[in-house]
């Protein structure tokens, strides 16, 4: 993009000073905490947003995963560090 488009969660600010950043509440789904294969899908995880569906061959972003509408847009997040119980 050649420019900062979203403010960072840990200090990266967009140009325009504190006022421009304080009034911009958009955030980007970083989805950089974990990678899991679940239900035949490759997902990247982040605590503050939906999992991201990734193409396993190209690693291209295919979209946010809502699990057939169970995770509502903008209202729910997931765990970035799931525990998979081997007994189940």
């Amino acid at each position: 993009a050649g420019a900062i488009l979203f403010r960072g969660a840990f200090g990266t600010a967009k140009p325009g000073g504190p006022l421009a950043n304080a009034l911009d509440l958009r955030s980007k789904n970083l989805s950089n905490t974990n990678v899991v294969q679940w239900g035949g899908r490759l997902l990247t995880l982040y605590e503050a947003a939906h999992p991201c569906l990734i193409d396993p061959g190209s690693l291209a972003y295919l979209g946010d995963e809502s699990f057939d509408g169970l995770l509502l847009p903008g209202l729910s997040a997931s765990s970035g560090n799931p525990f998979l119980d081997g007994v189940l």
Side-chain angles (χ1 to χ4, degrees), residues 9-73:
F10 301 105
T12 303
K14 297 184 322 178
L19 196 57
N21 284 275
L23 299 177
D24 184 356
L25 301 178
R26 297 175 301 156
S27 66
K28 184 177 174 104
N29 181 350
L30 300 177
S31 196
N32 63 359
T33 305
N34 211 334
V35 178
V36 296
Q37 186 172 0
W38 185 263
R41 295 172 281 195
L42 183 64
L43 304 170
T44 59
L45 307 177
Y46 177 56
E47 286 89 352
H50 287 189
C52 290
L53 184 60
I54 302 296
D55 180 273
S58 67
L59 300 180
Y61 168 76
L62 300 175
D64 289 350
E65 177 61 58
S66 70
F67 299 109
D68 297 322
L70 292 174
L71 297 177
L72 301 176

Short mmCIF file of all heavy atoms in Angstrom, two decimals, residues 9-73:
data_model
loop_
_atom_site.label_atom_id
_atom_site.label_comp_id
_atom_site.label_asym_id
_atom_site.label_seq_id
_atom_site.Cartn_x
_atom_site.Cartn_y
_atom_site.Cartn_z
N ALA A 9 -2.08 -1.91 17.10
CA ALA A 9 -2.52 -2.15 18.47
C ALA A 9 -1.44 -1.77 19.48
O ALA A 9 -1.74 -1.51 20.63
CB ALA A 9 -2.90 -3.61 18.63
N PHE A 10 -0.19 -1.72 19.06
CA PHE A 10 0.90 -1.50 20.00
C PHE A 10 1.76 -0.29 19.64
O PHE A 10 2.95 -0.30 19.80
CB PHE A 10 1.76 -2.76 20.10
CG PHE A 10 0.97 -3.95 20.55
CD1 PHE A 10 0.61 -4.93 19.65
CD2 PHE A 10 0.56 -4.05 21.85
CE1 PHE A 10 -0.13 -6.02 20.06
CE2 PHE A 10 -0.19 -5.15 22.28
CZ PHE A 10 -0.53 -6.13 21.38
N GLY A 11 1.15 0.76 19.13
CA GLY A 11 1.88 2.01 19.00
C GLY A 11 2.06 2.59 17.63
O GLY A 11 2.41 3.75 17.52
N THR A 12 1.87 1.84 16.55
CA THR A 12 2.05 2.41 15.22
C THR A 12 0.86 3.30 14.90
O THR A 12 -0.27 2.84 14.85
CB THR A 12 2.17 1.32 14.15
OG1 THR A 12 3.25 0.46 14.49
CG2 THR A 12 2.41 1.92 12.78
N ALA A 13 1.12 4.58 14.71
CA ALA A 13 0.03 5.52 14.43
C ALA A 13 0.02 5.89 12.95
O ALA A 13 1.04 5.88 12.28
CB ALA A 13 0.21 6.77 15.26
N LYS A 14 -1.16 6.20 12.45
CA LYS A 14 -1.28 6.72 11.10
C LYS A 14 -0.83 8.17 11.10
O LYS A 14 -0.86 8.84 12.13
CB LYS A 14 -2.73 6.67 10.62
CG LYS A 14 -3.31 5.30 10.53
CD LYS A 14 -4.70 5.32 9.95
CE LYS A 14 -5.50 6.49 10.43
NZ LYS A 14 -6.83 6.60 9.90
N PRO A 15 -0.46 8.71 9.95
CA PRO A 15 -0.14 10.14 9.88
C PRO A 15 -1.37 10.97 10.22
O PRO A 15 -2.50 10.55 10.03
CB PRO A 15 0.24 10.34 8.40
CG PRO A 15 0.57 8.99 7.88
CD PRO A 15 -0.23 8.02 8.68
N GLY A 16 -1.15 12.15 10.79
CA GLY A 16 -2.25 13.04 11.11
C GLY A 16 -2.32 13.41 12.58
O GLY A 16 -3.17 14.19 13.00
N GLY A 17 -1.44 12.84 13.37
CA GLY A 17 -1.38 13.18 14.78
C GLY A 17 -2.39 12.45 15.65
O GLY A 17 -3.18 11.64 15.16
N PRO A 18 -2.36 12.74 16.94
CA PRO A 18 -3.22 12.04 17.90
C PRO A 18 -4.71 12.16 17.60
O PRO A 18 -5.46 11.20 17.77
CB PRO A 18 -2.88 12.69 19.23
CG PRO A 18 -1.54 13.30 19.04
CD PRO A 18 -1.46 13.65 17.59
N LEU A 19 -5.16 13.31 17.16
CA LEU A 19 -6.59 13.49 16.91
C LEU A 19 -7.08 12.60 15.77
O LEU A 19 -8.13 11.97 15.87
CB LEU A 19 -6.90 14.95 16.61
CG LEU A 19 -8.36 15.37 16.71
CD1 LEU A 19 -8.92 15.05 18.09
CD2 LEU A 19 -8.52 16.83 16.42
N ALA A 20 -6.31 12.52 14.70
CA ALA A 20 -6.69 11.66 13.56
C ALA A 20 -6.73 10.19 13.96
O ALA A 20 -7.56 9.43 13.50
CB ALA A 20 -5.72 11.87 12.40
N ASN A 21 -5.84 9.79 14.85
CA ASN A 21 -5.78 8.40 15.28
C ASN A 21 -6.83 8.09 16.34
O ASN A 21 -7.40 7.01 16.35
CB ASN A 21 -4.38 8.06 15.79
CG ASN A 21 -3.40 7.88 14.66
OD1 ASN A 21 -3.29 6.81 14.10
ND2 ASN A 21 -2.71 8.95 14.28
N ALA A 22 -7.08 9.01 17.23
CA ALA A 22 -8.03 8.78 18.32
C ALA A 22 -9.45 8.60 17.80
O ALA A 22 -10.24 7.85 18.37
CB ALA A 22 -7.99 9.92 19.32
N LEU A 23 -9.80 9.27 16.72
CA LEU A 23 -11.16 9.20 16.19
C LEU A 23 -11.36 8.06 15.19
O LEU A 23 -12.47 7.80 14.77
CB LEU A 23 -11.54 10.53 15.55
CG LEU A 23 -11.53 11.72 16.52
CD1 LEU A 23 -11.83 13.01 15.77
CD2 LEU A 23 -12.49 11.51 17.66
N ASP A 24 -10.29 7.39 14.83
CA ASP A 24 -10.38 6.26 13.91
C ASP A 24 -10.40 4.97 14.73
O ASP A 24 -9.37 4.54 15.24
CB ASP A 24 -9.20 6.26 12.95
CG ASP A 24 -9.30 5.17 11.90
OD1 ASP A 24 -10.25 4.36 11.95
OD2 ASP A 24 -8.42 5.13 11.03
N LEU A 25 -11.56 4.37 14.89
CA LEU A 25 -11.70 3.18 15.72
C LEU A 25 -11.57 1.88 14.95
O LEU A 25 -11.71 0.80 15.52
CB LEU A 25 -13.04 3.22 16.46
CG LEU A 25 -13.24 4.45 17.35
CD1 LEU A 25 -14.62 4.41 17.98
CD2 LEU A 25 -12.15 4.54 18.40
N ARG A 26 -11.30 1.97 13.65
CA ARG A 26 -11.11 0.75 12.86
C ARG A 26 -9.83 0.05 13.30
O ARG A 26 -8.86 0.70 13.69
CB ARG A 26 -10.98 1.08 11.38
CG ARG A 26 -12.20 1.71 10.77
CD ARG A 26 -11.94 2.11 9.34
NE ARG A 26 -10.82 3.07 9.30
CZ ARG A 26 -10.05 3.27 8.25
NH1 ARG A 26 -10.24 2.59 7.15
NH2 ARG A 26 -9.08 4.16 8.29
N SER A 27 -9.84 -1.25 13.27
CA SER A 27 -8.62 -2.00 13.53
C SER A 27 -8.54 -3.14 12.53
O SER A 27 -9.54 -3.56 11.97
CB SER A 27 -8.59 -2.53 14.96
OG SER A 27 -9.59 -3.49 15.15
N LYS A 28 -7.36 -3.60 12.32
CA LYS A 28 -7.15 -4.67 11.36
C LYS A 28 -7.04 -5.99 12.11
O LYS A 28 -6.47 -6.06 13.19
CB LYS A 28 -5.85 -4.39 10.58
CG LYS A 28 -5.57 -5.38 9.50
CD LYS A 28 -4.32 -4.98 8.75
CE LYS A 28 -3.93 -6.03 7.76
NZ LYS A 28 -4.26 -5.70 6.42
N ASN A 29 -7.59 -7.04 11.54
CA ASN A 29 -7.46 -8.37 12.10
C ASN A 29 -6.04 -8.86 11.85
O ASN A 29 -5.70 -9.24 10.74
CB ASN A 29 -8.49 -9.30 11.46
CG ASN A 29 -8.45 -10.71 12.01
OD1 ASN A 29 -7.54 -11.08 12.74
ND2 ASN A 29 -9.43 -11.51 11.66
N LEU A 30 -5.21 -8.85 12.86
CA LEU A 30 -3.81 -9.25 12.70
C LEU A 30 -3.67 -10.75 12.46
O LEU A 30 -2.77 -11.17 11.75
CB LEU A 30 -3.00 -8.85 13.93
CG LEU A 30 -2.97 -7.36 14.25
CD1 LEU A 30 -2.20 -7.11 15.52
CD2 LEU A 30 -2.40 -6.57 13.10
N SER A 31 -4.52 -11.54 13.07
CA SER A 31 -4.55 -12.99 12.90
C SER A 31 -3.15 -13.58 12.80
O SER A 31 -2.81 -14.27 11.85
CB SER A 31 -5.38 -13.35 11.67
OG SER A 31 -5.71 -14.72 11.71
N ASN A 32 -2.33 -13.31 13.82
CA ASN A 32 -0.93 -13.72 13.78
C ASN A 32 -0.51 -14.54 15.00
O ASN A 32 0.67 -14.66 15.28
CB ASN A 32 -0.04 -12.49 13.67
CG ASN A 32 -0.16 -11.58 14.87
OD1 ASN A 32 -0.92 -11.85 15.80
ND2 ASN A 32 0.59 -10.50 14.87
N THR A 33 -1.48 -15.10 15.73
CA THR A 33 -1.14 -15.77 16.98
C THR A 33 -0.95 -17.28 16.83
O THR A 33 -0.08 -17.85 17.46
CB THR A 33 -2.23 -15.49 18.04
OG1 THR A 33 -2.38 -14.07 18.15
CG2 THR A 33 -1.88 -16.06 19.38
N ASN A 34 -1.75 -17.91 15.97
CA ASN A 34 -1.68 -19.36 15.85
C ASN A 34 -2.26 -19.78 14.50
O ASN A 34 -2.99 -19.03 13.87
CB ASN A 34 -2.49 -20.01 16.98
CG ASN A 34 -1.93 -21.34 17.40
OD1 ASN A 34 -1.28 -22.02 16.63
ND2 ASN A 34 -2.19 -21.72 18.64
N VAL A 35 -1.93 -21.00 14.09
CA VAL A 35 -2.47 -21.60 12.87
C VAL A 35 -2.99 -22.99 13.24
O VAL A 35 -2.30 -23.76 13.90
CB VAL A 35 -1.40 -21.73 11.77
CG1 VAL A 35 -1.97 -22.40 10.53
CG2 VAL A 35 -0.81 -20.37 11.42
N VAL A 36 -4.23 -23.29 12.83
CA VAL A 36 -4.81 -24.61 13.10
C VAL A 36 -5.53 -25.12 11.85
O VAL A 36 -5.99 -24.33 11.03
CB VAL A 36 -5.81 -24.58 14.28
CG1 VAL A 36 -5.12 -24.23 15.58
CG2 VAL A 36 -6.97 -23.67 14.01
N GLN A 37 -5.60 -26.43 11.74
CA GLN A 37 -6.45 -27.04 10.73
C GLN A 37 -7.68 -27.54 11.46
O GLN A 37 -7.58 -28.31 12.43
CB GLN A 37 -5.74 -28.18 10.01
CG GLN A 37 -6.54 -28.73 8.88
CD GLN A 37 -5.75 -29.72 8.05
OE1 GLN A 37 -4.60 -30.00 8.32
NE2 GLN A 37 -6.39 -30.27 7.04
N TRP A 38 -8.86 -27.10 11.03
CA TRP A 38 -10.10 -27.43 11.74
C TRP A 38 -11.20 -27.66 10.71
O TRP A 38 -11.47 -26.80 9.89
CB TRP A 38 -10.47 -26.27 12.67
CG TRP A 38 -11.66 -26.56 13.52
CD1 TRP A 38 -12.95 -26.18 13.27
CD2 TRP A 38 -11.70 -27.30 14.72
NE1 TRP A 38 -13.77 -26.63 14.25
CE2 TRP A 38 -13.03 -27.33 15.18
CE3 TRP A 38 -10.74 -27.95 15.48
CZ2 TRP A 38 -13.42 -27.97 16.33
CZ3 TRP A 38 -11.12 -28.58 16.63
CH2 TRP A 38 -12.45 -28.59 17.04
N GLY A 39 -11.80 -28.83 10.76
CA GLY A 39 -12.90 -29.13 9.85
C GLY A 39 -12.52 -29.05 8.39
O GLY A 39 -13.31 -28.62 7.56
N GLY A 40 -11.28 -29.45 8.07
CA GLY A 40 -10.82 -29.40 6.69
C GLY A 40 -10.43 -28.02 6.21
O GLY A 40 -10.18 -27.82 5.04
N ARG A 41 -10.38 -27.06 7.13
CA ARG A 41 -10.02 -25.68 6.77
C ARG A 41 -8.74 -25.28 7.50
O ARG A 41 -8.52 -25.70 8.64
CB ARG A 41 -11.14 -24.73 7.15
CG ARG A 41 -12.42 -24.98 6.36
CD ARG A 41 -13.55 -24.16 6.87
NE ARG A 41 -14.06 -24.82 8.08
CZ ARG A 41 -15.22 -24.55 8.63
NH1 ARG A 41 -15.98 -23.62 8.13
NH2 ARG A 41 -15.62 -25.19 9.70
N LEU A 42 -7.92 -24.45 6.87
CA LEU A 42 -6.73 -23.90 7.50
C LEU A 42 -7.09 -22.51 8.02
O LEU A 42 -7.54 -21.66 7.25
CB LEU A 42 -5.58 -23.82 6.51
CG LEU A 42 -4.24 -23.32 7.07
CD1 LEU A 42 -3.71 -24.28 8.13
CD2 LEU A 42 -3.24 -23.15 5.94
N LEU A 43 -6.94 -22.30 9.33
CA LEU A 43 -7.33 -21.04 9.96
C LEU A 43 -6.16 -20.42 10.69
O LEU A 43 -5.37 -21.11 11.34
CB LEU A 43 -8.45 -21.29 10.98
CG LEU A 43 -9.71 -21.97 10.46
CD1 LEU A 43 -10.61 -22.37 11.63
CD2 LEU A 43 -10.45 -21.07 9.50
N THR A 44 -6.04 -19.09 10.60
CA THR A 44 -5.11 -18.36 11.45
C THR A 44 -5.94 -17.67 12.53
O THR A 44 -7.07 -17.27 12.30
CB THR A 44 -4.30 -17.33 10.65
OG1 THR A 44 -5.18 -16.40 10.03
CG2 THR A 44 -3.44 -18.01 9.59
N LEU A 45 -5.36 -17.56 13.73
CA LEU A 45 -6.12 -17.11 14.89
C LEU A 45 -5.52 -15.85 15.52
O LEU A 45 -4.30 -15.63 15.47
CB LEU A 45 -6.16 -18.22 15.94
CG LEU A 45 -6.65 -19.58 15.47
CD1 LEU A 45 -6.57 -20.58 16.61
CD2 LEU A 45 -8.05 -19.50 14.90
N TYR A 46 -6.40 -15.08 16.15
CA TYR A 46 -6.04 -13.85 16.86
C TYR A 46 -7.12 -13.62 17.90
O TYR A 46 -8.30 -13.81 17.63
CB TYR A 46 -5.99 -12.70 15.84
CG TYR A 46 -5.71 -11.33 16.37
CD1 TYR A 46 -4.56 -11.07 17.10
CD2 TYR A 46 -6.56 -10.27 16.10
CE1 TYR A 46 -4.28 -9.79 17.55
CE2 TYR A 46 -6.29 -8.99 16.56
CZ TYR A 46 -5.15 -8.76 17.28
OH TYR A 46 -4.86 -7.51 17.72
N GLU A 47 -6.74 -13.21 19.11
CA GLU A 47 -7.71 -13.11 20.21
C GLU A 47 -8.79 -12.05 20.00
O GLU A 47 -9.85 -12.13 20.59
CB GLU A 47 -6.99 -12.80 21.53
CG GLU A 47 -6.23 -13.96 22.11
CD GLU A 47 -4.80 -14.04 21.61
OE1 GLU A 47 -4.43 -13.27 20.71
OE2 GLU A 47 -4.05 -14.89 22.12
N ALA A 48 -8.53 -11.05 19.22
CA ALA A 48 -9.44 -9.91 19.13
C ALA A 48 -10.28 -9.88 17.85
O ALA A 48 -10.84 -8.84 17.52
CB ALA A 48 -8.65 -8.62 19.26
N ALA A 49 -10.34 -10.99 17.13
CA ALA A 49 -11.09 -10.99 15.87
C ALA A 49 -11.44 -12.42 15.46
O ALA A 49 -11.00 -13.38 16.07
CB ALA A 49 -10.28 -10.31 14.77
N HIS A 50 -12.21 -12.51 14.41
CA HIS A 50 -12.57 -13.83 13.87
C HIS A 50 -11.34 -14.54 13.32
O HIS A 50 -10.39 -13.89 12.89
CB HIS A 50 -13.56 -13.65 12.72
CG HIS A 50 -14.92 -13.27 13.16
ND1 HIS A 50 -15.97 -13.23 12.30
CD2 HIS A 50 -15.44 -12.90 14.35
CE1 HIS A 50 -17.06 -12.87 12.93
NE2 HIS A 50 -16.75 -12.65 14.17
N PRO A 51 -11.38 -15.87 13.28
CA PRO A 51 -10.32 -16.59 12.59
C PRO A 51 -10.33 -16.24 11.10
O PRO A 51 -11.37 -15.89 10.54
CB PRO A 51 -10.71 -18.06 12.78
CG PRO A 51 -11.68 -18.08 13.91
CD PRO A 51 -12.37 -16.76 13.89
N CYS A 52 -9.18 -16.33 10.47
CA CYS A 52 -9.07 -16.07 9.03
C CYS A 52 -8.90 -17.39 8.30
O CYS A 52 -8.08 -18.23 8.69
CB CYS A 52 -7.88 -15.18 8.73
SG CYS A 52 -8.08 -13.48 9.29
N LEU A 53 -9.66 -17.57 7.24
CA LEU A 53 -9.56 -18.75 6.39
C LEU A 53 -8.43 -18.53 5.39
O LEU A 53 -8.39 -17.50 4.71
CB LEU A 53 -10.89 -18.98 5.67
CG LEU A 53 -11.03 -20.21 4.82
CD1 LEU A 53 -10.83 -21.48 5.65
CD2 LEU A 53 -12.39 -20.23 4.15
N ILE A 54 -7.53 -19.51 5.31
CA ILE A 54 -6.33 -19.39 4.48
C ILE A 54 -6.29 -20.55 3.48
O ILE A 54 -6.58 -21.69 3.84
CB ILE A 54 -5.05 -19.42 5.37
CG1 ILE A 54 -5.08 -18.31 6.41
CG2 ILE A 54 -3.78 -19.37 4.54
CD1 ILE A 54 -5.06 -16.92 5.86
N ASP A 55 -5.92 -20.25 2.24
CA ASP A 55 -5.73 -21.30 1.25
C ASP A 55 -4.45 -22.06 1.59
O ASP A 55 -3.38 -21.45 1.67
CB ASP A 55 -5.61 -20.69 -0.15
CG ASP A 55 -5.40 -21.74 -1.21
OD1 ASP A 55 -4.23 -22.10 -1.45
OD2 ASP A 55 -6.40 -22.21 -1.77
N PRO A 56 -4.53 -23.39 1.80
CA PRO A 56 -3.33 -24.13 2.21
C PRO A 56 -2.23 -24.18 1.15
O PRO A 56 -1.06 -24.33 1.50
CB PRO A 56 -3.85 -25.53 2.53
CG PRO A 56 -5.26 -25.58 2.12
CD PRO A 56 -5.72 -24.21 1.77
N GLY A 57 -2.57 -24.06 -0.11
CA GLY A 57 -1.56 -24.12 -1.17
C GLY A 57 -0.81 -22.83 -1.36
O GLY A 57 0.41 -22.81 -1.46
N SER A 58 -1.53 -21.71 -1.39
CA SER A 58 -0.90 -20.42 -1.66
C SER A 58 -0.74 -19.56 -0.42
O SER A 58 -0.07 -18.53 -0.47
CB SER A 58 -1.75 -19.65 -2.68
OG SER A 58 -2.99 -19.28 -2.10
N LEU A 59 -1.39 -19.93 0.68
CA LEU A 59 -1.45 -19.15 1.91
C LEU A 59 -2.16 -17.82 1.71
O LEU A 59 -2.00 -16.88 2.48
CB LEU A 59 -0.07 -18.95 2.53
CG LEU A 59 0.67 -20.23 2.91
CD1 LEU A 59 2.03 -19.90 3.52
CD2 LEU A 59 -0.14 -21.09 3.85
N ALA A 60 -2.98 -17.74 0.68
CA ALA A 60 -3.76 -16.52 0.41
C ALA A 60 -4.92 -16.41 1.40
O ALA A 60 -5.52 -17.41 1.79
CB ALA A 60 -4.30 -16.54 -1.01
N TYR A 61 -5.22 -15.18 1.78
CA TYR A 61 -6.35 -14.91 2.66
C TYR A 61 -7.64 -15.10 1.87
O TYR A 61 -7.82 -14.52 0.81
CB TYR A 61 -6.24 -13.47 3.17
CG TYR A 61 -7.46 -12.94 3.86
CD1 TYR A 61 -7.77 -13.34 5.15
CD2 TYR A 61 -8.29 -12.03 3.23
CE1 TYR A 61 -8.90 -12.84 5.80
CE2 TYR A 61 -9.42 -11.53 3.86
CZ TYR A 61 -9.72 -11.94 5.15
OH TYR A 61 -10.83 -11.45 5.78
N LEU A 62 -8.55 -15.93 2.40
CA LEU A 62 -9.82 -16.20 1.71
C LEU A 62 -11.00 -15.50 2.37
O LEU A 62 -12.09 -15.50 1.83
CB LEU A 62 -10.07 -17.71 1.66
CG LEU A 62 -9.01 -18.54 0.93
CD1 LEU A 62 -9.32 -20.01 1.04
CD2 LEU A 62 -8.89 -18.10 -0.52
N GLY A 63 -10.80 -14.95 3.56
CA GLY A 63 -11.87 -14.25 4.26
C GLY A 63 -11.93 -14.63 5.72
O GLY A 63 -11.25 -15.56 6.17
N ASP A 64 -12.76 -13.94 6.47
CA ASP A 64 -12.96 -14.26 7.87
C ASP A 64 -13.89 -15.46 7.99
O ASP A 64 -14.82 -15.61 7.21
CB ASP A 64 -13.58 -13.07 8.62
CG ASP A 64 -12.59 -11.93 8.80
OD1 ASP A 64 -11.40 -12.12 8.52
OD2 ASP A 64 -13.03 -10.86 9.25
N GLU A 65 -13.63 -16.30 8.97
CA GLU A 65 -14.43 -17.50 9.21
C GLU A 65 -15.44 -17.21 10.32
O GLU A 65 -15.08 -16.79 11.41
CB GLU A 65 -13.53 -18.66 9.63
CG GLU A 65 -14.25 -19.93 9.99
CD GLU A 65 -15.07 -20.49 8.84
OE1 GLU A 65 -14.49 -20.76 7.78
OE2 GLU A 65 -16.28 -20.64 9.01
N SER A 66 -16.73 -17.41 10.03
CA SER A 66 -17.78 -17.17 11.03
C SER A 66 -18.39 -18.47 11.55
O SER A 66 -19.28 -18.43 12.38
CB SER A 66 -18.88 -16.30 10.43
OG SER A 66 -19.62 -17.03 9.47
N PHE A 67 -17.93 -19.61 11.05
CA PHE A 67 -18.49 -20.91 11.42
C PHE A 67 -19.99 -20.93 11.18
O PHE A 67 -20.79 -21.14 12.09
CB PHE A 67 -18.13 -21.30 12.85
CG PHE A 67 -16.64 -21.41 13.07
CD1 PHE A 67 -15.97 -20.46 13.82
CD2 PHE A 67 -15.92 -22.43 12.49
CE1 PHE A 67 -14.59 -20.55 14.01
CE2 PHE A 67 -14.55 -22.53 12.66
CZ PHE A 67 -13.88 -21.58 13.43
N ASP A 68 -20.35 -20.66 9.92
CA ASP A 68 -21.76 -20.66 9.48
C ASP A 68 -22.62 -19.70 10.28
O ASP A 68 -23.76 -20.01 10.65
CB ASP A 68 -22.34 -22.08 9.51
CG ASP A 68 -21.62 -23.02 8.55
OD1 ASP A 68 -21.25 -22.57 7.44
OD2 ASP A 68 -21.42 -24.19 8.90
N GLY A 69 -22.08 -18.52 10.59
CA GLY A 69 -22.84 -17.48 11.27
C GLY A 69 -22.82 -17.54 12.79
O GLY A 69 -23.44 -16.70 13.44
N LEU A 70 -22.08 -18.48 13.38
CA LEU A 70 -22.02 -18.56 14.84
C LEU A 70 -21.26 -17.39 15.45
O LEU A 70 -21.57 -16.94 16.54
CB LEU A 70 -21.40 -19.88 15.29
CG LEU A 70 -22.24 -21.12 15.01
CD1 LEU A 70 -21.46 -22.38 15.36
CD2 LEU A 70 -23.55 -21.07 15.77
N LEU A 71 -20.25 -16.89 14.74
CA LEU A 71 -19.53 -15.70 15.18
C LEU A 71 -20.12 -14.51 14.44
O LEU A 71 -20.08 -14.45 13.21
CB LEU A 71 -18.03 -15.82 14.88
CG LEU A 71 -17.28 -16.94 15.58
CD1 LEU A 71 -15.83 -16.96 15.12
CD2 LEU A 71 -17.36 -16.79 17.08
N LEU A 72 -20.67 -13.57 15.16
CA LEU A 72 -21.34 -12.41 14.54
C LEU A 72 -20.32 -11.37 14.10
O LEU A 72 -19.31 -11.15 14.78
CB LEU A 72 -22.33 -11.80 15.53
CG LEU A 72 -23.42 -12.75 16.03
CD1 LEU A 72 -24.27 -12.06 17.08
CD2 LEU A 72 -24.27 -13.25 14.88
N PRO A 73 -20.56 -10.68 12.98
CA PRO A 73 -19.62 -9.66 12.50
C PRO A 73 -19.42 -8.55 13.53
O PRO A 73 -20.39 -7.97 14.02
CB PRO A 73 -20.31 -9.11 11.24
CG PRO A 73 -21.30 -10.15 10.84
CD PRO A 73 -21.71 -10.85 12.10
#
